[in-house]
Amino acid sequence: MTGICDGRVVVVTGAGRGLGRAHALAFAAEGAKVVVNDLGVGLDGAGTSSGPAQQVVDEITAAGGEAVAHGGDIATTHGASSLITAAVETFGRLDTLVNNAGFLRDRMLVNLDEDDWDAVMRVHLKGHFLPLKHAAAHWRAEAKAGHPVDGRVVNTSSGAGLLGSVGQGSYSAAKAGIIGLTLVAAAEMGRYGAQVNAIAPAARTRMTEQTFAETMAAPGEGQFDAMAPENVSPLVVWLGSVASAGVTGRVFEAEAGRITVMEGWREGPTADKGARWAPAEVGEAALKLLADAGPVRPVYGAGR
């Protein structure tokens, strides 16, 4: 197999199903050697199985590609470290890390248990941080040893992280945290030759199939399946390739055939007194600024 990732070694977390599976197959189709990480857990993170990761590996090898399964828990130091080691020991290098693993435990805030909050933060936010940390350490060592590094990291946020989502307080907070982590990593890891970006995908997966089943009919025969996870993967593959040189610290929305560069928090209307405000006068000033500002975008599920 040859393509824009020919010869690159790519690690994809949560690659046994859904978006991760689509990414792994797409990278392999473009010539990458792939480490397929997946714990094989249920939608809520319970249970484990080696089956999903191995099935993706079998698909890749059956098509003539190269892949290896990794079943470690990437939200632990050992699991994340062994993930990077698996790439280096199996294929001799690491070029691209795609952080994708996650699950849901949705509750309204008043019903959200502390354990469920911690579990979602652990898999999404810590499960991004630890592989990123160990990939960065590997690339730093390579750069210090005088070896050329052309690293790529693609993190997975969500529209819930950009706008919030009713009933998904923990998930929204974790996905927003991933954006902040992406910006910091992009600023820190450039010196090692690595670029870091994030995507906010919308696609039909185990986590979203109920939502899309309620809002969008399945495509007819021969029609474009707008919610297929495979629609997101081309952007991820490009970001993980050398073709994306110079692109870092960016967040992209990806859905169906549409990609959007998100511009994040930017300064809007401003008032500067040049001295400390009194509470009453700062309120008056703030109301004037809000009148000149754009409208607040509604949170998902809040009604429009």
Side-chain angles (χ1 to χ4, degrees):
M1 295 183 184
T2 59
I4 66 170
C5 287
D6 189 30
R8 289 179 72 80
V9 176
V10 177
V11 169
V12 184
T13 71
R17 303 181 180 95
L19 282 164
R21 172 183 174 274
H23 300 341
L25 294 174
F27 272 109
E30 290 293 330
K33 301 172 184 178
V34 186
V35 179
V36 179
N37 164 266
D38 204 284
L39 270 177
V41 300
L43 181 57
D44 64 351
T48 60
S49 170
S50 61
Q54 189 58 51
Q55 288 172 10
V56 175
V57 168
D58 291 344
E59 287 185 73
I60 291 172
T61 56
E66 295 184 60
V68 63
H70 178 271
D73 181 354
I74 46 81
T76 67
T77 294
H78 173 73
S81 175
S82 68
L83 177 65
I84 304 307
T85 299
V88 176
E89 291 189 349
T90 305
F91 299 121
R93 57 186 296 122
L94 171 69
D95 297 296
T96 298
L97 167 65
V98 179
N99 285 315
N100 170 77
F103 60 70
L104 293 177
R105 292 190 183 176
D106 291 351
R107 297 286 189 280
M108 301 296 279
L109 289 174
V110 294
N111 298 320
L112 181 59
D113 292 335
E114 183 178 355
D115 288 347
D116 288 335
W117 171 276
D118 289 345
V120 170
M121 288 294 169
R122 178 183 182 277
V123 71
H124 286 281
L125 197 48
K126 191 176 181 182
H128 271 63
F129 159 64
L130 286 174
L132 183 61
K133 169 187 170 70
H134 289 283
H138 169 73
W139 284 325
R140 180 180 64 180
E142 289 291 288
K144 286 185 175 181
H147 302 148
V149 174
D150 206 355
R152 301 286 187 272
V153 178
V154 183
N155 291 330
T156 305
S157 184
S158 167
L162 298 170
L163 294 175
S165 179
V166 171
Q168 292 189 313
S170 57
Y171 179 76
S172 297
K175 289 301 192 183
I178 287 168
I179 294 175
L181 179 63
T182 298
L183 301 179
V184 172
E188 291 184 357
M189 291 172 61
R191 70 195 71 178
Y192 313 138
Q195 298 178 180
V196 187
N197 295 285
I199 61 165
R204 187 192 311 104
T205 68
R206 288 192 303 166
M207 292 197 297
T208 63
E209 62 185 356
Q210 187 59 41
T211 299
F212 290 128
E214 295 172 353
T215 60
M216 180 173 290
E221 185 176 352
Q223 292 182 326
F224 174 50
D225 185 354
M227 291 294 102
E230 290 78 9
N231 299 332
V232 177
S233 299
L235 173 61
V236 176
V237 171
W238 179 77
L239 287 171
S241 75
V242 295
S244 64
V247 179
T248 194
R250 293 289 192 170
V251 179
F252 296 83
E253 274 195 329
E255 176 183 351
R258 178 177 62 85
I259 59 172
T260 303
V261 177
M262 305 304 293
E263 295 191 329
W265 294 101
R266 295 186 180 276
E267 292 182 354
T270 303
D272 184 357
K273 180 182 178 182
R276 183 179 300 142
W277 298 86
E281 64 177 351
V282 78
E284 182 180 354
L287 290 174
K288 290 180 180 178
L289 295 176
L290 290 169
D292 293 333
V296 175
R297 294 182 64 184
V299 172
Y300 290 125
R304 307 195 178 196

